[in-house]
Amino acid sequence: MAKSTTQKRSTLADVVTREYTIHLHKLVFGRSLRKRAPHAIKSIKAFAQTAMGTKDVRLDPSLNKAVWARGVKHINHRIRVRIARKRNDDEDAKEKLYSYVTHVPVSDFKGLETAVVDDE
């Protein structure tokens, strides 16, 4: 039986941008009303951490405005986000990569899938 030699890929080469649809309703359902929007923000950060594999997640102010647009109690059921994994240019940074999450406004969520976006 041959020994399997699986090398871990370097994430430094993986500077990529993807679009995701996050189902916020299932993440904040059952949460008390005054904690729904803050918990939605924390859930988006946790989703970005697992999807991109980075601990450093930064949210765009437009995403924050989109989540809080209907107030603290009434969160949209779904939200479309673009998550970009970028290199950290700081010399004294702990992490080599960070994720930047922005809001993508869409009219309808039907038929949308996770898509890789070409960097402009």
Side-chain angles (χ1 to χ4, degrees):
M1 182 128 176
K3 188 194 266 186
S4 64
T5 57
T6 56
Q7 282 186 330
K8 188 166 182 157
R9 283 193 318 138
S10 172
T11 55
L12 282 174
D14 293 339
V15 177
V16 69
T17 303
R18 294 189 194 116
E19 281 190 3
Y20 294 95
T21 301
I22 302 175
H23 190 186
L24 287 177
H25 183 68
K26 72 179 181 182
L27 299 172
V28 299
F29 179 76
R31 183 67 53 172
S32 64
L33 290 179
R34 299 291 176 184
K35 296 180 181 177
R36 283 187 176 207
H39 187 72
I41 295 291
K42 290 173 192 157
S43 300
I44 291 171
K45 276 190 158 187
F47 179 86
Q49 278 185 353
T50 57
M52 288 294 176
T54 60
K55 295 217 190 251
D56 188 8
V57 177
R58 302 171 190 177
L59 300 181
D60 191 54
S62 67
L63 175 67
N64 195 39
K65 284 183 192 262
V67 171
W68 283 85
R70 295 176 59 195
V72 69
K73 294 191 279 187
H74 305 291
I75 303 297
N76 289 331
H77 284 227
R78 286 178 176 82
I79 193 164
R80 186 80 172 167
V81 294
R82 179 176 288 152
I83 306 176
R85 183 168 43 206
K86 299 181 178 181
R87 281 193 182 85
N88 209 344
D89 293 333
D90 244 355
E91 299 88 31
D92 55 342
K94 290 183 196 173
E95 304 289 326
K96 300 285 186 210
L97 297 168
Y98 71 93
S99 298
Y100 190 69
V101 186
T102 57
H103 177 245
V104 179
V106 292
S107 59
D108 192 21
F109 292 99
K110 300 287 185 194
L112 289 178
E113 295 180 354
T114 299
V116 177
V117 179
D118 295 330
D119 291 328
E120 286 90 34

